[in-house]
Amino acid sequence: MPISRRRFMISAALSTSTLAMPSFLRAQGKPKVVVIGGGAGGGTAARYLAKDSKGEIDVTLIEPQQAFTTCFFSNLHIGGFRTFDSITHSYKTLESTHGVKVIHQMATAVDRGAKVVTLADGSKVPYDRLIVSPGISLKWESVPGYSPEAAEMMPHAWQAGPQTQLLKSKIEAMKQGGTFVMIAPPNPYRCPPGPYERISMVAHIFKQKNPTAKIIVLDPKEKFSKQALFQEGWQKHYPGMVEWIPASILGSIKSVDAKTGKIETDLDVFNADVANVIPAQAAGAIAAAAGLTNDTGFCPIVPGSMQSQVDENVYVLGDSSIAGDMPKSAFSANSQAKVCANAVRGALTGSRVFPAKFSNTCWSLIATDDGVKVGANYEPAADKITKTTGFISKTGEDSALRKATYEESLGWYAGITEDIFGA
Amino acid sequence: MRVVKRFGLDNLQSGLAVAVALVIGSMAIAGSAQAQSGEAAGKEHDRLVGRGVEVFQRCSACHRIGVEAENRIGPQLNNLIGRKAGTVKGARYSPAMVRAGAEGLVWTPETIDAFVADPKGFIEGTTMGLRGVDDADDRKALIAYLASFSTGPSNIPETPVPPRAGVDAGLPTEILALKGDAEFGEYLSGECVTCHQASGEDKGIPSIVGWPPADFVIAMHGYKSKKREHPVMRMIAGRLSAEEIAALAAYFNKKGQ
Ligand SMILES: Cc1cc2nc3c(=O)[nH]c(=O)nc-3n(C[C@H](O)[C@H](O)[C@H](O)COP(=O)(O)OP(=O)(O)OC[C@H]3O[C@@H](n4cnc5c(N)ncnc54)[C@H](O)[C@@H]3O)c2cc1C
């Protein structure tokens, strides 16, 4: 039976009475939800399910890291605006306040037939519903010569943590007048404005510590998010420092050599004193291993609930999902998680299921007190999540507004991290 | 002393009297079209701002507003709404204006309206040369134009504020009377607390916990109809129905108790 028809029947049953909970579930005791990945999507989903079901659902979060460093605001750490501590969050509140069971291990396999997740130590965790939000995996081979080993010399810093610290220290130690080269990622990737916010933050550091340094962006794209705003900002704050080379001029990247910093392209050979290589991306590896991805490398979902199109007992959130018009951002993952938690709770306990509403806003910092933002509303359509309305900061805005926008982003960070990890 | 008196209660009252007149005026307009959609209200706002550009010509010899506006003969007018009178750094003010600010005069749509209607009557001793904008609609237009350069958190009410005359007027009583479904509101609130901290802390983004429901409803409809500034709030409020706004108001009020 197609999922949509099944879903219709489920919700029809629910609307008649909250007591319509399938008897087999009650017989089994508490329904079990397992969440793979304790980031923006998974943390939020686990928290909302535990919080809103008030103990009716048994929620287990599987996440290998003891603490989570957010990619969002990691560029601000590189720029010296945030400490590393201030962007790192523990799972303690999820456990103590909300009763989420957190297991610090990697999920290595999912048996969707038996509804069991296998962990790195071989133990097995059964589920009634599985929520998968493992972020991205990096396609190393998309940049010839790049590899996990090369990333120790040419950091990607596209998964936050030690990589962020490594990149920051290399930027700060770069020789006077040296060259910083970024290889930007092709679409689709997490955080569309992220690479360009990073360029802004690197320029901000160089302006103070290394004013004759050069920044070169080798981009496999022709245009990028908030382009006019970033380019205006670079011109204004860092004149002459940043050179952005689009694909039509660059051609392709032929190889990178992590030891020498040499980057060969059709256009030229670049010698990087510090290189930041951000390769192409796909869904987190466990999503592919669980058979949830299609040939795009990401996971197709049902737009109104984030349910996998492949398996009605599985939901996929955040960067790993194909969320239609929504960008891959923490804001999006958090928004999707709340829609998903509502749907899963409804399916398991008969609680009210409300219509899905999605939204996203991404703030970026260009220089001290110079913040910009872009945002949109999204609604589920039959085939995909579709953008309805949106807005973007304008070039030429006055500095008071830009400062207010930056301050607003600080508020957003405090709000969303509280919403993911608890207060 | 006369200045003090003008700025004390007396003047506040006369300012309010003008404001009340404005409310009644706009209610009369809205009355005929209570069912007017948010879109129509948005259009009316656009018309006002457009007219405001023209009215501002009378100010532009001395005042700058917009991108990187600087002080001229008079202070720059960005973020005017909510600003204490006589406090822009580097601007030249009459002693009367500085005193008015020290006594608590804050520029709001109401006080700007009263001041612009009769500058010397409102602040005796002001050096502002404007004779006064007689036409109430022109003043409303000018205020809408000035307010459009007051975007930013400083323009979002930090705490419940009384409805803003001229900005929040004309909300049909049926909307205010809607009873909110707090459980639905709790679900919808997920969208709010991505930015507004659920704990009620405010840091860069104001708290929305514990507001009286009517204030919440009025503010949200202000964004929905694009009368209030702030692009994110306009976007979020824009697609919420009156029932959904009422549900949120009920939930956030309950949460504050
Ligand atoms: C530099 C940069 C700046 C950014 N700035 C912003 C911003 O300003 N605003 C914004 O909204 N977004 C921003 N983002 C994007 C944002 O970080 C991501 O879109 C968001 O984190 C995605 O959430 P997620 O839940 O899909 O994945 P993640 O948040 O990455 O979480 C995935 C988690 O899953 C875990 N995991 C992976 N595999 C397994 C497994 N097999 N078993 C168990 N656990 C596993 C990982 O350890 C990780 O903790 C930025 C990203 C970058 C790189």
Side-chain angles (χ1 to χ4, degrees):
Chain A
M1 191 186 299
I3 283 175
S4 55
R5 187 163 137 67
R6 253 197 69 84
R7 282 176 46 72
F8 170 76
M9 286 172 58
I10 290 173
S11 56
L14 290 177
S15 59
T16 37
S17 157
T18 51
L19 293 175
M21 188 207 292
S23 56
F24 68 88
L25 281 183
R26 272 186 275 165
Q28 269 183 350
K30 273 192 197 179
K32 294 183 180 57
V33 175
V34 171
V35 181
I36 298 181
T44 308
R47 180 166 168 268
Y48 271 73
L49 275 167
K51 170 172 84 68
D52 294 343
S53 74
K54 301 189 174 67
E56 277 188 64
I57 298 177
D58 189 43
V59 183
T60 304
L61 177 64
I62 299 170
E63 163 62 54
Q65 307 179 87
Q66 295 289 335
F68 183 83
T69 302
T70 60
C71 277
F72 38 115
F73 272 28
S74 68
N75 287 330
L76 273 64
H77 171 58
I78 290 172
F81 292 91
R82 296 290 289 221
T83 62
F84 193 75
D85 262 9
S86 80
I87 60 167
T88 302
H89 305 266
S90 94
Y91 294 97
K92 293 274 177 301
T93 313
L94 283 182
E95 293 183 284
S96 61
T97 308
H98 300 294
V100 174
K101 185 169 172 213
V102 184
I103 303 180
H104 289 297
Q105 281 202 54
M106 201 73 181
T108 51
V110 178
D111 180 341
R112 293 197 279 106
K115 297 214 260 177
V116 169
V117 177
T118 305
L119 306 183
D121 68 358
S123 57
K124 298 197 186 298
V125 188
Y127 64 82
D128 295 304
R129 294 291 183 282
L130 176 68
I131 298 176
V132 181
S133 192
I136 51 160
S137 59
L138 298 170
K139 293 165 95 170
W140 304 100
E141 70 291 352
S142 68
V143 179
Y146 200 53
S147 64
E149 298 71 48
E152 294 305 312
M153 281 163 286
M154 292 181 157
H156 51 80
W158 220 241
Q159 287 157 325
Q163 276 278 312
T164 315
Q165 290 166 310
L166 180 66
L167 181 63
K168 184 173 166 68
S169 72
K170 283 185 178 292
I171 289 163
E172 285 171 354
M174 192 173 88
K175 74 170 193 220
Q176 287 297 309
T179 302
F180 172 94
V181 181
M182 171 190 278
I183 298 181
N187 291 321
Y189 61 96
R190 67 163 34 157
C191 196
Y196 312 97
E197 180 186 58
R198 176 169 292 168
I199 291 299
S200 309
M201 292 295 96
V202 175
H204 173 76
I205 292 292
F206 285 163
K207 189 177 172 181
Q208 301 161 58
K209 300 191 176 164
N210 193 346
T212 54
K214 284 264 166 286
I215 297 176
I216 298 173
V217 189
L218 306 178
D219 209 322
K221 304 182 292 297
E222 282 307 299
K223 55 184 174 41
F224 58 85
S225 168
K226 301 183 193 164
Q227 182 164 355
L229 294 166
F230 280 115
Q231 290 185 327
E232 177 196 53
W234 295 342
Q235 194 59 41
K236 177 174 168 193
H237 300 291
Y238 320 112
M241 190 182 273
V242 183
E243 188 184 354
W244 174 73
I245 307 178
S248 54
I249 297 175
L250 182 70
S252 64
I253 292 172
K254 291 198 213 139
S255 70
V256 300
D257 182 341
K259 287 208 183 66
T260 60
K262 203 161 123 186
I263 299 172
E264 282 189 61
T265 71
D266 288 335
L267 177 69
D268 206 346
V269 176
F270 298 86
N271 287 300
D273 294 297
V274 176
N276 176 200
V277 178
I278 309 169
Q281 292 153 38
I286 188 73
L292 300 168
T293 51
N294 65 15
D295 55 14
T296 64
F298 294 94
C299 306
I301 48 90
V302 177
S305 64
M306 305 305 292
Q307 189 176 39
S308 165
Q309 285 186 13
V310 176
D311 185 333
E312 63 188 18
N313 295 316
V314 179
Y315 294 72
V316 185
L317 304 177
D319 293 350
S320 282
S321 70
I322 301 174
D325 296 345
M326 292 185 89
K328 297 189 187 303
S329 73
F331 200 122
S332 294
N334 169 266
S335 172
Q336 293 156 7
K338 288 178 252 192
V339 168
C340 163
N342 184 251
V344 168
R345 190 160 65 93
L348 293 177
T349 70
S351 64
R352 285 165 74 186
V353 177
F354 300 107
K357 277 189 203 297
F358 300 103
S359 57
N360 177 62
T361 298
C362 281
W363 285 265
S364 302
L365 186 61
I366 299 177
T368 306
D369 288 339
D370 191 356
V372 292
K373 61 187 168 190
V374 58
N377 279 331
Y378 305 86
E379 310 229 314
D383 56 332
K384 64 167 187 158
I385 299 177
T386 310
K387 176 173 164 178
T388 51
T389 50
F391 68 88
I392 183 164
S393 294
K394 298 186 179 56
T395 53
E397 284 170 343
D398 73 74
S399 48
L401 174 54
R402 289 295 178 86
K403 182 165 191 276
T405 303
Y406 170 58
E407 284 166 2
E408 195 175 276
S409 75
L410 301 178
W412 164 76
Y413 187 87
I416 193 172
T417 49
E418 181 178 315
D419 202 35
I420 299 169
F421 301 103
Chain B
M1 246 4 256
R2 274 190 60 210
V3 176
V4 176
K5 193 169 137 241
R6 281 176 182 277
F7 248 100
L9 276 178
D10 271 13
N11 227 290
L12 240 134
Q13 271 159 8
S14 73
L16 275 181
V18 177
V20 169
L22 265 178
V23 176
I24 294 169
S26 51
M27 272 179 167
I29 299 167
S32 61
Q34 268 196 353
Q36 223 181 24
S37 66
E39 195 177 306
K43 280 209 180 106
E44 165 63 4
H45 180 255
D46 291 348
R47 179 194 72 78
L48 278 174
V49 172
R51 173 73 193 135
V53 177
E54 289 166 39
V55 180
F56 189 75
Q57 299 302 309
R58 295 189 227 170
C59 319
S60 61
C62 304
H63 291 284
R64 288 285 179 277
I65 194 162
V67 184
E68 303 297 326
E70 286 174 358
N71 298 326
R72 288 301 177 81
I73 296 170
Q76 57 84 4
L77 296 177
N78 289 329
N79 286 314
L80 179 66
I81 311 277
R83 183 200 287 172
K84 198 175 190 185
T87 54
V88 171
K89 274 211 197 81
R92 282 174 294 170
Y93 288 108
S94 61
M97 183 62 80
V98 174
R99 202 174 324 134
E103 284 166 13
L105 176 65
V106 172
W107 294 122
T108 63
E110 296 78 32
T111 56
I112 297 171
D113 185 77
F115 180 51
V116 171
D118 180 9
K120 297 232 162 31
F122 194 61
I123 301 185
E124 192 184 55
T126 180
T127 42
M128 187 165 91
L130 182 78
R131 194 185 48 78
V133 179
D134 293 335
D135 186 287
D137 190 63
D138 279 356
R139 290 198 301 276
K140 201 171 155 193
L142 179 63
I143 291 165
Y145 176 69
L146 292 171
S148 71
F149 293 95
S150 284
T151 323
S154 58
N155 197 33
I156 313 177
E158 293 285 335
T159 48
V161 286
R164 291 202 220 147
V167 178
D168 292 323
L171 198 60
T173 45
E174 311 82 275
I175 287 187
L176 280 168
L178 277 177
K179 206 169 144 26
D181 170 352
E183 191 187 348
F184 185 29
E186 178 166 15
Y187 165 70
L188 294 169
S189 76
E191 188 156 45
C192 313
V193 299
T194 299
C195 299
H196 298 273
Q197 290 177 64
S199 59
E201 290 267 321
D202 51 359
K203 191 156 104 198
I205 290 182
S207 166
I208 52 172
V209 175
W211 285 33
D215 290 354
F216 194 101
V217 169
I218 286 169
M220 289 298 278
H221 280 276
Y223 292 116
K224 185 175 168 65
S225 60
K226 296 197 164 40
K227 290 191 229 160
R228 283 181 179 235
E229 293 303 324
H230 204 278
V232 181
M233 286 310 302
R234 284 182 174 188
M235 178 180 94
I236 297 291
R239 69 162 166 192
L240 292 173
S241 67
E243 282 74 21
E244 289 171 331
I245 289 175
L248 282 166
Y251 169 71
F252 278 112
N253 177 254
K254 202 171 125 198
K255 195 171 161 57
Q257 282 158 17

